[in-house]
Amino acid sequence: MAYQASNEEHPIEIVNIASLEGRVKERMDKGAFGYIRGGSEDEWTMKENTTSFNNKTIMPRVLRGVDHADLSTKLWDIELATPIIQAPSAAQGLAHEKGEADTAKGVAAAGSIFSISTYANTTIEDAAAAAPEAPQFFQLYMSKDDGFNEFILEKAVKAGAKAIILTADSTLGGYREEDIINNFQFPLPMPNLAAYSEKSASGDGEGKGIAEIYAAAKQGLVPEDIKKIKDLTNLPVFVKGIQSPEDAEVAIAAGADGIWVSNHGGRQLDGGPASFDVLPLIAAVVNKRVPIVFDSGVRRGEHVFKALASGADLVAIGRPVIYGLNLGGAEGVKSVFDHLNKELSITMQLAGTKTIDEIKNTKLM
């Protein structure tokens, strides 16, 4: 069967976020769906990312006069309608023909932050133009080619990126058996690579497997890379893929402006801890010196609540956004945010918390 992405654009009905996976599987190319859904090796860490939220319970408060929930919050001077943001995800053209452009529109409509990947199927410029008034971040997969790093970061700055996300946990791809079984190769070009390919033999990614894409990545990231990015862009830098308190300390000492607690949704190291299990340890070390973004395994508003109560400032979602994109384009993306916001609002009110700051002062058991 020839590869074909969705082109639908409409709101979607959602009973729960977990149910979206099955709906998308029925309508999506097998290899593309496997790439998006899959984790590494036995997918133990991927599954633990979600089940680990059951290890902590919320201690609700009553008689506090909470008659509604206020989800608004801030990151630096960026006003947000929700503490839920979009986690950068590669190759969104696999899910929808408008790819990252429609994701940017949907995230903007939700009053949140969109992040575009180096390995996007949409140019940085086109994604920014799709939602010009909304804040956007750029996720850098640092290359062993310094010329490419300078080239792509310059594009991000010109497009108005508010921050750079340095992905530190993916200097090579995890062992993803579903991609091997499906012999998955990217069917679409990655135009941010293509724009530089005249100066490089790396090409545009089309027809390549994940291992070939990662072959251009810098294998030995070091703390000094944070300063390089800051010097090139004069923008704040989040370090994404922090899974230990020690690495959070190293990153902050090297100049990181934010810590992104993540295990890449269980797509890299299988057998590592669930992101939620390490979040409180990392938050204790960070001690509010810089903001913390958390992702991996979030499927409920309750999960968002627990992550915020455990030290996160913002909570990012990846696969659910892509599923919403496939099912309904930009409006489908917004539907995912709307549903999680509804669940979060209910959880907040039943827990006796009116604001995001009050969630952060809630005890978990």
Side-chain angles (χ1 to χ4, degrees), residues 4-313:
Q4 184 176 359
S6 170
N7 62 1
E8 299 175 43
E9 295 190 50
H10 54 79
I12 56 176
E13 293 185 6
I14 302 175
V15 175
N16 59 68
I17 295 298
S19 68
L20 299 182
E21 183 177 297
R23 291 165 62 180
V24 172
K25 182 179 181 179
E26 292 177 354
R27 44 185 277 133
M28 197 170 183
D29 174 83
K30 181 180 179 182
F33 175 77
Y35 167 75
I36 292 167
R37 185 217 65 83
S40 63
E41 298 189 14
D42 295 323
E43 299 186 339
W44 183 87
T45 294
M46 185 182 79
K47 295 167 187 172
E48 282 293 300
N49 277 337
T50 298
T51 60
S52 66
F53 287 105
N54 295 328
N55 296 334
K56 292 287 186 179
T57 57
I58 300 164
M59 183 183 290
R61 299 290 306 278
V62 297
L63 303 177
R64 291 168 63 86
V66 178
D67 58 1
H68 73 283
D70 179 3
L71 273 62
S72 64
T73 189
K74 288 179 68 173
L75 173 68
W76 302 315
D77 61 348
I78 302 172
E79 302 280 352
L80 299 170
T82 172
I84 306 167
I85 67 172
Q86 176 249 349
S89 304
Q92 294 180 24
L94 296 173
H96 194 278
E97 65 177 16
K98 294 185 180 178
E100 290 81 4
D102 255 24
T103 301
K105 288 180 182 178
V107 174
S112 187
I113 297 171
F114 166 76
S115 299
I116 187 166
S117 170
T118 299
Y119 301 142
N121 294 132
T122 304
T123 66
I124 298 169
E125 297 86 352
D126 286 349
E133 303 304 317
Q136 297 192 6
F137 292 171
F138 173 68
Q139 180 202 27
L140 175 68
Y141 282 90
M142 201 163 196
S143 172
K144 60 184 68 172
D145 181 348
D146 287 337
F148 174 79
N149 295 327
E150 294 177 15
F151 170 82
I152 200 74
L153 288 171
E154 182 179 0
K155 283 168 66 73
V157 171
K158 286 183 177 179
K162 301 296 185 184
I164 304 299
I165 304 165
L166 171 61
T167 295
D169 61 358
S170 300
T171 54
L172 75 166
Y175 188 74
R176 303 175 198 165
E177 294 181 8
E178 197 157 358
D179 290 345
I180 296 170
I181 292 168
N182 293 328
N183 191 28
F184 177 71
Q185 296 178 319
F186 290 98
L188 301 170
M190 299 174 178
N192 297 312
L193 302 184
Y196 187 75
S197 63
E198 294 178 2
K199 308 175 187 178
S200 163
S202 61
D204 63 7
E206 186 174 359
K208 292 186 176 182
I210 189 67
E212 294 173 277
I213 298 294
Y214 274 112
K218 182 176 179 180
Q219 301 293 304
L221 291 179
V222 292
E224 290 75 18
D225 289 323
I226 298 170
K227 184 176 186 302
K228 287 182 182 178
I229 296 168
K230 290 169 69 79
D231 288 345
L232 286 169
T233 64
N234 198 30
L235 289 174
V237 173
F238 275 93
V239 178
K240 183 176 184 290
I242 297 294
Q243 297 163 68
S244 75
E246 293 83 359
D247 285 347
E249 189 63 64
V250 169
I252 293 172
D257 303 281
I259 295 298
W260 197 304
V261 178
S262 170
N263 59 30
H264 221 86
R267 292 166 69 80
Q268 293 299 97
L269 175 67
D270 199 29
S275 281
F276 182 65
D277 286 343
V278 298
L279 174 60
L281 303 174
I282 294 170
V285 167
V286 173
N287 195 25
K288 303 185 186 302
R289 288 177 290 170
V290 298
I292 294 175
V293 177
F294 167 86
D295 77 35
S296 297
V298 174
R299 297 295 182 271
R300 287 283 187 186
E302 165 213 323
H303 299 164
V304 176
F305 186 103
K306 288 178 178 178
L308 294 169
S310 298
D313 295 291

Side-chain angles (χ1 to χ4, degrees), residues 315-336:
V315 176
I317 52 174
R319 291 182 184 91
V321 171
I322 308 307
Y323 296 154
L325 176 68
N326 176 262
L327 293 166
E331 294 188 60
V333 169
K334 184 177 182 295
S335 296
V336 169

